């Protein structure tokens, strides 16, 4: 059986977040590619926090890489640990301009279902993170900004060529280096350890008879 093609994404900084730990996560994964090389072909991507750019990047990744698994990470100031998002909502909130100054009206993302579920093996991920001593939380609301936007597009059949059967979103707390007094902030090494655990657990599930 072939190994999966795995896409892992993070975001750049954005208004109100001068440090985005998911950007540093992607740099860390790129600097040590051997840590996940045994799982399959790996692609990492730092996405701009821009509504207009994200769909085109996903379409390019679909055409160039065709991931079997897409694991998306984003920052949430409210996160208390690795927050496993269960549902993507087909909604953009008002009042949150992106890095290009674009503030879309409150609207649906695309014509489609109101909600789409994550297809990551969330319960297995939660168990493995807890076993590793890492904080875990659950959420049914990925927000109304670029995180939810990406999550919904990744799960939607609306983008030509980008259709990973296993896809989902994980919010993480702020970086310990940026918010040392935040009790929920994560050190980079713990963020990398958690992302590695999530990726390994997902790849293992993909190879199982249920997801293969």
């Amino acid at each position: 059986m072939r190994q999966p093609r795995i896409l892992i994404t993070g975001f750049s900084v954005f208004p109100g977040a001068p440090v985005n730990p998911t950007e540093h996560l992607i740099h860390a994964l790129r600097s040590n590619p051997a840590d996940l090389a045994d799982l399959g072909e790996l692609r990492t991507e730092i996405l701009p926090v821009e509504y207009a750019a994200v769909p085109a990047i996903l379409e390019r990744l679909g055409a160039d890489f065709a991931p079997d698994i897409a694991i998306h990470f984003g920052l949430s100031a409210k996160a208390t640990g690795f927050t496993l998002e269960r549902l993507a909502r087909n909604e953009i909130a008002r009042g949150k301009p992106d890095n290009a100054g674009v503030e879309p009206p409150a609207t649906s993302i695309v014509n489609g279902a109101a909600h789409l579920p994550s297809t990551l093996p969330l319960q297995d991920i939660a168990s493995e993170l807890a076993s590793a001593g890492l904080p875990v939380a659950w959420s049914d609301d990925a927000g109304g900004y670029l995180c939810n936007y990406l999550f919904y597009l990744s799960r939607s059949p609306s983008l030509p060529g980008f259709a990973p059967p296993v896809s989902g979103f994980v919010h993480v707390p702020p970086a310990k280096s940026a918010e040392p007094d935040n009790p929920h902030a994560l050190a980079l090494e713990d963020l990398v350890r958690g992302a590695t655990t999530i990726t390994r657990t997902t790849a293992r599930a993909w190879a199982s008879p249920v997801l293969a």
Side-chain angles (χ1 to χ4, degrees):
M1 180 180 177
R2 72 173 178 86
Q3 291 184 301
R5 293 180 293 271
I6 304 169
L7 171 66
I8 304 175
T9 73
F11 276 113
S12 68
V13 299
F14 58 91
V19 176
N20 192 327
T22 68
E23 181 176 29
H24 295 283
L25 166 64
I26 297 301
H27 286 305
L29 294 176
R30 286 176 178 171
S31 67
N32 294 287
D35 289 349
L36 295 172
D38 61 305
L39 299 181
E41 189 176 354
L42 184 69
R43 180 77 64 90
T44 55
E45 191 84 18
I46 298 170
L47 301 173
V49 181
E50 297 180 15
Y51 285 105
V54 168
I57 293 172
L58 294 183
E59 288 187 21
R60 172 179 57 79
L61 288 167
D64 295 347
F65 187 59
D68 300 297
I69 295 170
I71 305 172
H72 306 294
F73 290 94
L75 166 64
S76 171
K78 299 178 182 179
T80 59
F82 289 91
T83 303
L84 309 181
E85 298 291 348
R86 295 185 182 97
L87 293 174
R89 294 183 298 118
N90 192 5
E91 180 181 340
I92 298 175
R94 294 187 62 184
K96 294 183 177 180
D98 67 10
N99 280 356
V102 174
E103 183 181 332
T107 184
S108 298
I109 296 170
V110 295
N111 290 327
H115 300 87
L116 291 172
S118 172
T119 49
L120 297 179
L122 296 179
Q123 194 59 60
D124 289 346
I125 288 171
S127 296
E128 292 295 329
L129 288 172
S131 295
L134 294 165
V136 183
W138 294 86
S139 170
D140 291 323
D141 184 356
Y145 197 43
L146 267 292
C147 290
N148 178 75
Y149 181 72
L150 168 63
F151 184 12
Y152 192 91
L153 289 176
S154 186
R155 288 289 298 114
S156 167
S158 63
L159 296 179
F162 189 85
V166 180
S167 174
F169 199 96
V170 179
H171 269 119
V172 301
K176 196 71 173 177
S177 59
E179 299 188 16
D181 296 327
N182 183 337
H184 303 299
L186 285 176
L188 179 59
E189 56 266 33
D190 287 332
L191 182 60
V192 172
R193 194 159 57 94
T196 300
T197 298
I198 290 167
T199 305
R200 287 194 170 278
T201 303
T202 303
R204 186 166 58 244
W206 182 89
S208 74
V210 174
L211 293 181

